[in-house]
DNA sequence: CACTGAGCCTGCTAGC
DNA sequence: TGCTAGCAGGCTCAGT
């Protein structure tokens, strides 16, 4: 499942190939992949424009066009954005039925959006600093502005369970189930802790864990458990560095050896060590 | 404000 | 071997 490091890797691999290319055509093969606006309006807005930047905000890939409007792509669970240097002839025939959208680009290239489970979304937003695509996106964990104090200020007012709060994209952007479980394990915090009850030292440990984890995962070009590929089709390698995610409940904790537990918290499977990870509930 | 559950989807797997 | 039921997961929306 692509989270921040995977999306950042997609962005980095696509950027040199997409920047400066113009969009010659757009083909939509699954209508719900296009979130907004309508197909007619989307096509009118993007065809003929040039891509001037490929950025990222949280888990969104953000392509800025020459009129400052933006195309955003959310990969959700199984989405893949692949750049192909030879239009259609390089496509994988076996996956043709998972191909949801195709941007025909200049120089005979194309950008394909594959998405097995059809959860991924493509949107277009006109340039508008007052109501852009990122109105409800929270702190950006790899930005300079993401400090321990900034994290403390968003946690301190929230009387919510820590894990669902960290998964909330309007609070911190880019974390998903894998990196939240890993960050909580590394910072020795129990997923059922109450966010507002954390001490400043505990927030600092959590901040340090998030930043270190995401930075290293980006360096490893992301985590490939099953579907994830970069913009050029390569797998990541951070799955080898995961400490608890993907481990079956009942396995020994890699830190203390006691039994790892699994709970469903906020409708998400969660793996943790009740011995290492302290449950902070006193507010 | 915080939380829960349904819905969106398909492929994999456990169990028969 | 072949079948089915259940699970996985990010996010949105409706309801409590």
């Amino acid at each position: 499942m692509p989270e921040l490091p995977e999306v950042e890797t997609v962005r980095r691999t696509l950027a040199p190939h997409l920047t400066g290319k113009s969009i010659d055509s757009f083909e939509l093969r699954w209508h719900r992949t296009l979130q907004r606006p309508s197909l007619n309006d989307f096509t009118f807005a993007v065809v003929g424009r040039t891509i001037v930047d490929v950025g990222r905000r949280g888990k969104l890939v953000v392509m800025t066009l020459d009129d400052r409007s933006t195309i955003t792509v959310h990969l959700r669970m199984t989405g893949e954005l692949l750049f192909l240097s030879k239009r259609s002839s390089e496509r994988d025939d076996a996956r043709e039925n998972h191909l949801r959208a195709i941007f025909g680009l200049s120089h005979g290239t194309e950008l394909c959006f594959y998405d097995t489970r059809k959860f991924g979304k493509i949107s277009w937003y006109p340039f508008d600093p007052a109501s852009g695509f990122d109105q409800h996106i929270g702190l950006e964990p790899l930005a300079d502005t993401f400090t321990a104090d900034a994290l403390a200020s968003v946690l301190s007012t929230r009387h919510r369970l820590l894990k669902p709060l960290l998964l909330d994209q309007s609070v911190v952007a880019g974390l998903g189930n894998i990196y939240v479980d890993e960050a909580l394990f590394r910072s020795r915090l129990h997923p059922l802790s109450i966010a507002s009850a954390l001490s400043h030292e505990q927030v600092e440990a959590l901040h340090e864990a998030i930043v270190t984890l995401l930075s290293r995962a980006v360096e490893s070009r992301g985590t490939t458990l099953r579907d994830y590929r970069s913009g050029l089709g390569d797998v990541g390698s951070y799955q080898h560095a995961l400490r608890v995610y993907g481990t079956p409940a009942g396995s020994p904790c890699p830190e203390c050896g006691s039994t790892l537990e699994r709970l469903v918290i906020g409708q998400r499977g969660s793996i943790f060590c009740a011995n290492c990870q302290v449950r902070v509930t006193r507010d």
Side-chain angles (χ1 to χ4, degrees):
Chain A
M1 310 111 244
E3 303 181 23
L4 189 153
E6 292 73 39
V7 179
E8 176 61 20
T9 303
V10 169
R11 184 201 75 75
R12 289 184 182 187
T13 50
L14 290 179
H17 294 99
L18 299 187
T19 305
K21 294 268 192 332
S22 60
I23 300 173
D24 296 343
S25 62
F26 178 70
E27 181 185 346
L28 184 65
R29 298 208 177 168
W30 175 249
H31 68 292
R32 301 189 72 157
T33 293
L34 182 62
Q35 185 162 247
R36 59 168 285 173
S38 66
L39 177 57
N40 276 344
D41 290 351
F42 182 88
T43 305
F44 184 78
V46 308
V47 171
R49 305 245 71 106
T50 297
I51 300 169
V52 298
D53 185 61
V54 182
R56 178 190 58 75
R57 181 73 173 93
K59 297 178 192 172
L60 284 177
V61 175
V62 181
M63 294 184 276
T64 305
L65 307 182
D66 55 356
D67 64 349
R68 304 174 80 181
S69 67
T70 47
I71 297 170
T72 64
V73 180
H74 198 310
L75 306 174
R76 295 283 181 101
M77 308 295 297
T78 56
E80 290 176 47
L81 267 181
L82 282 181
F83 175 78
L84 301 182
S85 59
K86 274 214 171 70
R87 196 173 293 178
S88 74
S89 63
E90 286 189 349
R91 283 188 209 152
D92 183 352
D93 290 340
R95 302 210 309 149
E96 191 72 9
N97 58 332
H98 293 152
L99 185 50
R100 308 304 180 197
I102 305 128
F103 291 89
L105 305 175
S106 51
H107 307 291
T109 64
E110 66 182 11
L111 180 65
C112 289
F113 183 64
Y114 290 90
D115 187 18
T116 307
R117 293 191 196 173
K118 299 179 173 175
F119 282 3
K121 298 291 178 205
I122 298 173
S123 301
W124 176 82
Y125 296 83
F127 175 67
D128 183 355
S131 68
F133 61 88
D134 66 346
Q135 286 299 291
H136 303 287
I137 305 183
L139 297 174
E140 188 59 51
L142 294 185
D144 297 340
T145 49
F146 186 70
T147 59
D149 285 344
L151 180 61
S153 72
V154 298
L155 297 184
S156 63
T157 58
R158 307 302 206 98
H159 195 74
R160 285 178 65 181
L161 297 180
L162 189 53
K163 168 143 182 174
L165 186 72
L166 291 174
L167 286 171
D168 187 335
Q169 301 299 299
S170 69
V171 178
V172 180
L175 296 174
N177 210 33
I178 298 173
Y179 294 111
V180 167
D181 275 7
E182 291 293 314
L184 289 173
F185 179 75
R186 282 159 208 249
S187 55
R188 298 178 153 265
L189 290 167
H190 195 291
L192 293 175
S193 297
I194 302 296
S196 57
L198 299 193
S199 69
H200 196 72
E201 289 71 31
Q202 288 168 327
V203 175
E204 283 180 340
L206 179 60
H207 172 264
E208 163 69 18
I210 291 171
V211 172
T212 303
L213 184 64
L214 294 181
S215 304
R216 289 186 185 161
V218 169
E219 286 168 19
S220 303
R221 288 160 286 107
T223 298
T224 298
L225 292 176
R226 178 169 290 150
D227 301 291
Y228 165 71
R229 301 289 185 277
S230 78
L232 299 176
D234 304 312
V235 298
S237 64
Y238 199 72
Q239 60 276 12
H240 304 300
L242 298 176
R243 305 209 65 196
V244 287
Y245 185 88
T247 309
S251 310
C253 168
E255 204 63 40
C256 75
S258 63
T259 303
L260 291 177
E261 293 180 31
R262 196 191 119 96
L263 281 179
V264 175
I265 304 169
Q267 298 161 286
R268 308 266 161 64
S270 306
I271 186 92
F272 60 95
C273 173
N275 185 46
C276 291
Q277 297 173 248
V278 56
R279 184 171 171 181
V280 190
T281 56
R282 203 154 36 97
D283 217 337

